[in-house]
Amino acid sequence: MLDVRGIKKVYESKDRTVEAVRDLTFTLQAGELACLVGPSGCGKTTLLKIMSGLLEPTSGEVLMEGDRVEGPPPGMAVVFQEYGRSLFPG
């Protein structure tokens, strides 16, 4: 159902380069459950944004049900940890 193939994401600025995700590959079958666990700054949110089509990888690809993810797939919803700030102006 979900294939993550060779995902790499590099953020570049004029001052520095940060490799957020490096050569990540895995497959999830329909009905499988997976968790992303790691310390702050290790690339969890970057990976989720790539898998949901909200962020383009530097290299690699994500396939959902055999189709390349190039934007948010129909029927997908993403709820961010700090969603309250996105929904209600402060």
Side-chain angles (χ1 to χ4, degrees):
M1 182 188 134
L2 179 70
D3 288 310
V4 174
R5 299 179 179 172
I7 291 295
K8 178 179 183 176
K9 181 62 181 177
V10 177
Y11 294 101
E12 294 188 45
S13 70
K14 66 177 188 171
D15 299 328
R16 66 184 194 147
T17 299
V18 175
E19 188 176 48
V21 179
R22 178 190 310 153
D23 192 28
L24 184 61
T25 299
F26 64 90
T27 300
L28 293 176
Q29 302 301 323
E32 278 190 288
L33 177 67
C35 297
L36 292 175
V37 179
S40 178
C42 74
K44 300 180 300 289
T45 299
T46 296
L47 177 60
L48 289 172
K49 286 181 179 179
I50 291 170
M51 291 188 315
S52 65
L54 296 173
L55 183 64
E56 188 173 334
T58 302
S59 62
E61 65 180 353
V62 176
L63 302 174
M64 183 171 289
E65 297 179 344
D67 295 325
R68 188 177 177 135
V69 174
E70 295 179 337
M76 176 181 278
V78 177
V79 179
F80 295 96
Q81 183 175 358
E82 297 290 334
Y83 64 90
R85 286 192 269 179
S86 302
L87 298 175
F88 304 107

